[in-house]
Amino acid sequence: MPSAIQALIACALFASAARAGAAAYGDAKGAALKSPEGVACTAEGRVVVADTGNRRLVSFSLKDSALVPGAVIAFPELGTPSRVQIDSRGNVVALDSRSRRLVRVSDGGGFGGFVTPSGLPQRGAALRGGWFPVSFKIGPGDDFYVVDARRVVVLDRSGKFLREIAGSFSDVAVDEKGAVFAVDGRTGRLFAVEADRAMAGRAAESEGRVSTGDRARRVSTGDRNAGVAAGDGNAGVPAGAKLLAKEVAVFPAAIALAPKGQLAVADSHGHSIVLLSRDGTVVSRRSGMGWTDGRVYYPGQLCADARGDLFVADTGNHRLQVFTPQ
Amino acid sequence: MILALLFSAALLPGADGKLCLSCHQDFAAKLAKPFVHAPLKQGTCTGCHDPHASRHGAMLSAEPTRVCTTCHTSIVPAGAASAHAPAAQGRCTACHDPHAADARFEIVKPGVEGCASCHTALTDGWKRSRHKHASVSCDGCHDPHASREAPKLLRGVEPALCVACHKGLSAKHSGLPVQTARCTGCHDPHGSDQPAMLLEDVHKPLTRGCADCHERGSLSTKAAGAALCNECHAQQVSRMLDASHVHEPLAEGDCLACHAPHASRRRGLVRGEARLVCGSCHADTIRRHDQSETKHPPVAEGECSACHDPHSSENALFLKRADDVQLCGTCHDWQKHSSHPIGPKLLDPRNPNLHVDCLSCHRAHGTPFKHLNPFPTTTELCVKCHPQFKR
């Protein structure tokens, strides 16, 4: 089939998808998304996609159930953005998966500086001094919750180290009270960590142990980990765990807060989005593997707005999808 | 009258064995063998056989898998840590002649030859190896029936089993207290082509002793974790980390998640078979393949690195190539060009941001359906893109 006809079909498909509001395939100029791994959204429906394969960020807005592409953000320091967040002031911060730096975007869409951690406890056993962020979220007070190798590091807005939470995680979600939920794709485990902000301090070093200020209650997904709770005898760490059916979360790679106090988990290898209550009970499982609208293929980061619209970086399908509340 | 008949049917003392031999004259040769099963030696053939009628072959007095345990009750003790399948299943004649043999315990094939009947790969490897476990037969370490305390029929747990014979180990290992370590972490107990029966792939520092990595006289290392590996592999590690997708064990500096620090049977010091090493985290993928209707050889054979870079990659899923057609084509060369139209110039009708490639129709790690098809039939697959042919 001649390439010109193919291009026309592609545009028609893209346009129709944009009007339907189910998926977005490219920016305002029609340049296709490529392996987008990250997405961030505000309660009001502003969306920013980390278009990883194209080394840029693309803004969208949700209007009348349609994703309308907006500005494109690209500059050299952005690198290869894999994760993105929007803070309480509307500023965008992205994680460059190559340099492993948190990059601020200025109001004008340019380079706004790096978030450089200070006072970070060094770990001699790790590479690069033990700073290798793989994901992050912005929590209350615009603190950064950075998923590092075998820990979550909490930094204030300026990058100053506040505390850390030990454990191997793939992603975290933080609610308005500072309660942290973490997911580990390798083991299928879902953690609920209740942060005690009055007790800041350094976490215990070994995996599974938590800081004196952070009590971990392990809620597990899948049967890989039957859930001996984290804890080394620290007071207030309850034993036991909650198991979910393996089919629900084969390889949970990303987590986000959802309305109604729920959690949304992107099941990367299971090609689905799982909604759970905060005690780990599965509420629903949405989508399934596929290439058409409404299906996902190796989903990445996800986020939810106040209405409950779930935005998913549908990485394997090179698009952004939005799932409206049922 | 009846009592008289009954008494007349009884054999005279010592006569039962001779009575059987009067017909079964070939047993005379068996009786001449050096090791004769006690019932046969004592002439009590009826210990195992019913002389009148039987529901079982060879006139056995009980099921073949149970007749031995009427006397040998504790061959496989309850709660054994491991049991030899023939013993556990009552297939005693797999190894023993029930009547007589030239070897002790009426073993049909004594020594390694007997074990080789089933464990061919292991014994062939042992025979070919340059450095064998000297003066040790299989039953030197393995109980042929069951082990109460150890896996793999071992007569004891490591390292106590090894230390029972091998003294002065610390002196042979640069003064390190290896007598408390796991010997098979470095040594192949069945034999190897490496000196000291080290596993085939030996970490180079080990050839110089232990001092490169370990503190003198201690199992503690000179640096912790990946920092130790980085002392020699800094360039390699730096190159691996300079990628957009870094495998989590590497990101965490957990080299030993996949690699053995001393020696391994596998190239690159990979800790074990890839299906087990990779599967320790990616069990879902291995399971999906195990349940797959059609097997994909790289997965079946544990060659995950045929498609994936185990350290890092610029491509999603750590694929070695960005172009799926070229990646699959490294093995399936014919399908690169003699196939359904595929390639970067052909858009996927289902998704304008996708091109038609191998993964448009196949799932590399397996599906419940034939040919790695994600749908039950080929028709159901085709009509996803060609809906005009849907019935």
Side-chain angles (χ1 to χ4, degrees):
Chain A
M1 183 186 293
S3 57
I5 295 176
Q6 291 181 20
L8 282 172
I9 293 172
C11 287
L13 281 170
F14 161 66
S16 65
R19 281 199 295 273
Y25 289 84
D27 63 16
K29 294 182 180 177
L33 299 178
K34 185 178 179 185
S35 302
E37 295 183 15
V39 64
C41 52
T42 64
E44 299 77 24
R46 179 188 171 201
V47 184
V48 176
V49 172
D51 189 11
T52 311
N54 288 325
R55 302 186 177 188
R56 63 178 186 170
L57 304 174
V58 182
S59 299
F60 291 87
S61 55
L62 188 63
K63 291 176 182 173
D64 298 327
S65 299
L67 281 165
V68 179
V72 172
I73 302 167
F75 46 86
E77 293 84 355
L78 189 61
T80 309
S82 61
R83 290 288 187 267
V84 62
Q85 286 284 275
I86 305 171
D87 69 15
S88 63
R89 305 174 197 185
N91 300 317
V92 176
V93 181
L95 171 64
D96 174 12
S97 63
R98 178 178 293 280
S99 69
R100 301 291 160 178
R101 288 176 164 184
L102 292 172
V103 184
R104 294 187 194 276
V105 178
S106 67
D107 292 340
F111 176 53
F114 294 113
V115 178
T116 304
S118 62
L120 194 65
Q122 295 293 307
R123 295 179 302 167
L127 299 168
R128 288 189 175 179
W131 181 241
F132 204 88
V134 296
S135 183
F136 79 106
K137 287 287 176 16
I138 294 177
D142 286 344
D143 288 344
F144 292 100
Y145 290 72
V146 184
V147 180
D148 189 15
R150 295 191 171 180
R151 61 180 177 179
V152 174
V153 172
V154 185
L155 308 171
D156 72 7
R157 197 170 186 280
S158 69
K160 180 185 169 189
F161 171 79
L162 296 176
R163 66 185 184 281
E164 64 181 21
I165 305 164
S168 275
F169 307 116
S170 303
D171 195 18
V172 291
V174 189
D175 74 4
E176 64 282 355
K177 296 178 184 174
V180 178
F181 299 86
V183 68
D184 178 9
R186 283 186 300 175
T187 60
R189 297 178 299 183
L190 177 64
F191 295 84
V193 182
E194 296 159 358
D196 183 349
R197 287 177 156 263
M199 298 180 68
R202 183 173 176 173
E205 292 181 0
S206 59
E207 182 178 357
R209 299 171 66 195
V210 298
S211 72
T212 53
D214 295 290
R215 292 167 293 135
R217 174 171 57 88
R218 180 176 301 186
V219 177
S220 69
T221 61
D223 60 9
R224 274 179 292 244
N225 174 31
V228 175
D232 60 345
N234 283 351
V237 179
K242 185 169 183 177
L243 287 171
L244 301 176
K246 187 171 176 66
E247 289 76 17
V248 172
V250 175
F251 198 93
I255 183 173
L257 297 176
K260 301 180 186 176
Q262 293 177 348
L263 301 170
V265 171
D267 187 354
S268 177
H269 292 189
H271 311 287
S272 61
I273 308 300
V274 186
L275 284 176
L276 306 119
S277 61
R278 293 198 178 193
D279 62 359
T281 305
V282 174
V283 174
S284 65
R285 181 182 173 93
R286 308 181 70 172
S287 185
M289 190 196 78
W291 302 266
T292 51
D293 286 2
R295 300 271 178 171
V296 292
Y297 193 55
Y298 293 103
Q301 191 179 11
L302 70 175
C303 66
D305 64 12
R307 266 191 358 159
D309 301 309
L310 268 176
F311 300 88
V312 181
D314 192 2
T315 309
N317 278 323
H318 306 290
R319 66 187 176 197
L320 169 71
Q321 287 219 73
V322 58
F323 295 91
T324 54
Q326 292 177 337
Chain B
M1 174 92 171
I2 294 172
L3 283 171
L5 281 171
L6 281 173
F7 275 111
S8 69
L11 292 173
L12 294 170
D16 44 3
K18 292 177 184 173
L19 183 63
C20 304
L21 283 175
S22 64
C23 292
H24 298 282
Q25 293 172 1
D26 54 317
F27 269 78
K30 288 184 188 281
L31 284 170
K33 288 184 183 261
F35 297 93
V36 180
H37 194 196
L40 178 61
K41 202 171 187 178
Q42 294 161 7
T44 51
C45 307
T46 53
C48 301
H49 299 277
D50 189 317
H52 300 117
S54 168
R55 289 195 174 93
H56 313 290
M59 302 286 286
L60 288 173
S61 55
E63 287 180 27
T65 56
R66 293 187 181 181
V67 66
C68 304
T69 54
T70 53
C71 294
H72 301 283
T73 54
S74 60
I75 290 297
V76 179
S82 55
H84 198 192
Q89 295 164 6
R91 293 184 290 114
C92 307
T93 54
C95 303
H96 300 276
D97 188 305
H99 299 114
D102 294 323
R104 198 173 167 216
F105 301 123
E106 293 83 59
I107 295 288
V108 176
K109 290 183 184 177
V112 174
E113 293 308 314
C115 306
S117 306
C118 298
H119 302 283
T120 313
L122 195 61
T123 51
D124 284 352
W126 168 80
K127 287 175 184 174
R128 284 194 305 266
S129 60
R130 289 177 58 194
H131 302 277
K132 296 179 175 53
H133 202 168
S135 309
V136 176
S137 59
C138 305
D139 61 356
C141 297
H142 299 276
D143 187 307
H145 298 124
S147 171
R148 288 181 188 275
E149 60 178 304
K152 302 181 184 179
L153 304 176
L154 290 171
R155 293 186 182 276
V157 296
E158 281 188 72
L161 178 64
C162 313
V163 172
C165 294
H166 296 278
K167 309 299 181 186
L169 288 176
S170 181
K172 295 175 184 173
H173 293 84
S174 304
L176 298 184
V178 293
Q179 61 273 17
T180 58
R182 186 174 63 89
C183 308
T184 53
C186 300
H187 301 278
D188 188 331
H190 300 117
S192 161
D193 289 339
Q194 296 285 354
M197 295 199 313
L198 285 169
L199 298 173
E200 295 304 327
D201 193 7
V202 181
H203 197 193
K204 204 170 177 183
L206 200 66
T207 60
R208 298 187 288 268
C210 310
D212 278 22
C213 302
H214 290 275
E215 299 285 4
R216 189 179 175 81
S218 168
L219 291 175
S220 300
T221 52
K222 291 180 174 178
L228 179 67
C229 310
N230 209 38
E231 287 186 359
C232 295
H233 300 286
Q235 274 191 342
Q236 234 176 330
V237 171
S238 183
R239 202 167 51 243
M240 291 173 189
L241 292 177
D242 184 28
S244 56
H245 299 84
V246 177
H247 198 195
E248 200 165 323
L250 176 61
E252 294 183 348
D254 189 11
C255 308
L256 300 187
C258 305
H259 296 280
H262 301 116
S264 170
R265 287 188 170 86
R266 281 155 187 91
R267 188 174 54 88
L269 293 175
V270 175
R271 188 169 276 286
E273 188 189 332
R275 282 169 52 86
L276 297 176
V277 175
C278 305
S280 64
C281 293
H282 300 285
D284 58 300
T285 301
I286 300 298
R287 187 174 299 110
R288 183 162 73 240
H289 183 266
D290 288 345
Q291 295 170 351
S292 180
E293 172 75 18
T294 300
K295 306 301 180 191
H296 194 193
V299 187
E301 296 164 11
E303 294 292 339
C304 307
S305 57
C307 304
H308 300 278
D309 189 314
H311 297 114
S312 64
S313 172
E314 293 297 334
N315 307 310
L317 304 176
F318 301 96
L319 291 174
K320 285 187 164 179
R321 303 186 75 157
D323 185 333
D324 294 335
V325 175
Q326 294 301 320
L327 176 63
C328 302
T330 53
C331 295
H332 304 281
D333 182 72
W334 189 253
Q335 271 71 32
K336 280 199 294 185
H337 43 82
S338 299
S339 173
H340 183 283
I342 54 175
K345 295 181 181 178
L346 189 64
L347 291 178
D348 189 323
R350 302 167 297 184
N351 180 327
N353 281 0
L354 292 176
H355 300 109
V356 179
D357 61 19
C358 311
L359 300 183
S360 301
C361 302
H362 301 284
R363 292 205 70 200
H365 298 117
T367 73
F369 316 113
K370 283 184 180 177
H371 309 307
L372 307 180
N373 185 343
F375 301 101
T377 64
T378 307
T379 305
E380 286 173 86
L381 170 65
C382 300
V383 298
K384 297 295 180 192
C385 295
H386 305 284
Q388 66 273 26
F389 297 111
K390 194 172 183 180
R391 294 171 189 172

